Amino acid sequence: MEIRKSGMISIVGRPNVGKSTLTNALVGEKIAIVTNKPQTTRNRICAVVNREGCQFVFLDTPGLHKARTRLGDYMVKVVKESVADVDAVLLLVEPIPHIGGPEAELIRRIKELNVPAVLVINKIDTVEKEELLSVMQVYGAAHDFAAIVPISAKRNEGVDELLGLLAQFLPEGPQLFPEDMVTDQPERQVCAEIIREKLLLCLDKEIPHGTAVEITTFSERDDGIIDLDATIYCEKASHKGIIIGKGGAMLKKISTLARTDIEAFMGTKVFLQTWVKVKENWRDNMNLIKNFGYRDE
């Protein structure tokens, strides 16, 4: 397929609105981790979609929220910078006929930079049509969006239509990424994120937000099996005990779930070993934040 148009589109919104679910739906495979907990995405994730002579490069960003740690500051900075230097912005919102603080801040930034913006109303399967119309009216009055598109990312409804509509914002030009590439994340980073997703899914309350994952070994055997060693860092010794669980049961559950997804992503058998270590207050330590892969571009 010859690529004639290519460009970058940022997906922005408040935490937990479905940005990563939409990113995966657009690509057609899992490259961004998804949970029902806010602030699951910490880094800007690049997703590449090739379709009908167009290459779309989507930037999945963290949810815009009030930062309480230096990691939080970093995440907010990533969102704000992701609206600059792109061909279009996709503002993802829930079907609520009210503009909240994060949405108002993102609309202000879109106006400031004068970037074309599409409003995408997600989770339309949860509301009646009348409610959806009032959401459209409220947002339509706040900004002159290039288009307003209702979708359900979870059910893959409206995603193809959205992709077709976004093609108009791509400038003429060669592809930005090789044709077989679906993300710019290194494989070891994707593997670390998958393990972190399972921590978020299996653990309650605040514990998973204080975790980070570092891949310490990533090597391929002659027969194609991948050896993966991962260290899970948490902020308190009491959290370490919860992550490991009674007789190591919780860590085993997390590792088994992660290995299944990593094998699907890598397309080969994976031998995964996990350890848990305590690093107190790492979310306020810039050196550790960078060490765990959260870096400025």
Side-chain angles (χ1 to χ4, degrees), residues 126-147:
T126 62
V127 290
E128 298 299 319
K129 201 172 182 180
E130 292 72 33
E131 213 172 328
L132 196 57
L133 289 170
S134 55
V135 178
M136 289 176 167
Q137 282 169 344
V138 168
Y139 277 96
H143 183 66
D144 185 16
F145 288 97

Side-chain angles (χ1 to χ4, degrees), residues 9 22 25-27 49-52 54-56 58 90 149 151 158-170:
I9 298 169
L22 175 58
L26 288 161
V27 176
V49 181
N50 296 314
R51 176 176 145 157
E52 293 169 5
C54 296
Q55 184 172 82
F56 302 85
F58 291 100
L90 195 158
V149 187
I151 67 157
V159 175
D160 267 3
E161 293 85 339
L162 175 62
L163 210 48
L165 176 106
L166 293 171
Q168 66 182 293
F169 301 109
L170 303 185

